[in-house]
Amino acid sequence: MPKRKLAKCSKDWKVRENKLKELELEVSGELAKELGNLRDQLPKCDEAIEAARGLVEGVRLKLEECQQNKETVQSELEKQRDLIKQCSIENRELCEGAENRLRKLSARRE
């Protein structure tokens, strides 16, 4: 009886071992296929990465341009503010001068 059990056990073991080898081959085949698919996709990924780098560079250049424009606008704005201040000073001086002349003329008339 023990020999029969041992023989059956050995046979079962061989069957399981063969099934395991089949599964290993099947899995390794599927993995190889998937790896091949991934390798096929690499050039597309590289193209997408390069395109993204190009977009990032374009955005960086546009950002630099905007920064330069901002600085130019700020500089021009300061110039305009200075001109407005200068005009205000000149207008005030002109008004004061006109008021003084009017006072003098009024004083002469009296």
Side-chain angles (χ1 to χ4, degrees):
M1 191 87 146
K3 284 187 178 183
R4 276 194 211 157
K5 274 191 172 181
L6 187 56
K8 184 175 181 339
C9 222
S10 180
K11 184 179 177 184
D12 288 348
W13 184 256
K14 291 283 184 193
V15 168
R16 288 183 183 150
E17 194 174 20
N18 287 338
K19 185 65 175 170
L20 182 60
K21 286 179 183 176
E22 288 174 19
L23 288 173
E24 285 175 347
L25 288 173
E26 185 179 327
V27 168
S28 66
E30 289 176 13
L31 288 175
K33 183 179 177 183
E34 187 62 30
L35 183 59
N37 289 340
L38 291 173
R39 281 189 186 131
D40 292 344
Q41 292 176 12
L42 277 177
K44 293 176 188 173
C45 291
D46 289 341
E47 289 173 12
I49 289 169
E50 283 305 310
R53 283 183 180 142
L55 288 173
V56 168
E57 182 62 17
V59 168
R60 187 189 65 74
L61 291 173
K62 194 65 175 173
L63 185 60
E64 280 181 15
E65 181 184 334
C66 289
Q67 184 63 32
Q68 290 172 352
N69 289 342
K70 177 185 171 189
E71 291 169 4
T72 301
V73 166
Q74 285 176 333
S75 173
E76 287 299 315
L77 185 60
E78 280 301 313
K79 288 178 186 177
Q80 294 297 321
R81 284 182 182 147
D82 290 345
L83 283 173
I84 290 170
K85 285 179 187 175
Q86 185 61 37
C87 287
S88 293
I89 291 169
E90 290 174 3
N91 283 341
R92 186 175 47 232
E93 289 172 352
L94 287 172
C95 287
E96 288 172 358
E99 286 174 355
N100 287 338
R101 284 193 295 277
L102 280 174
R103 274 192 225 119
K104 286 179 185 176
L105 285 173
S106 293
R108 284 185 195 165
R109 285 188 188 163
E110 290 175 6

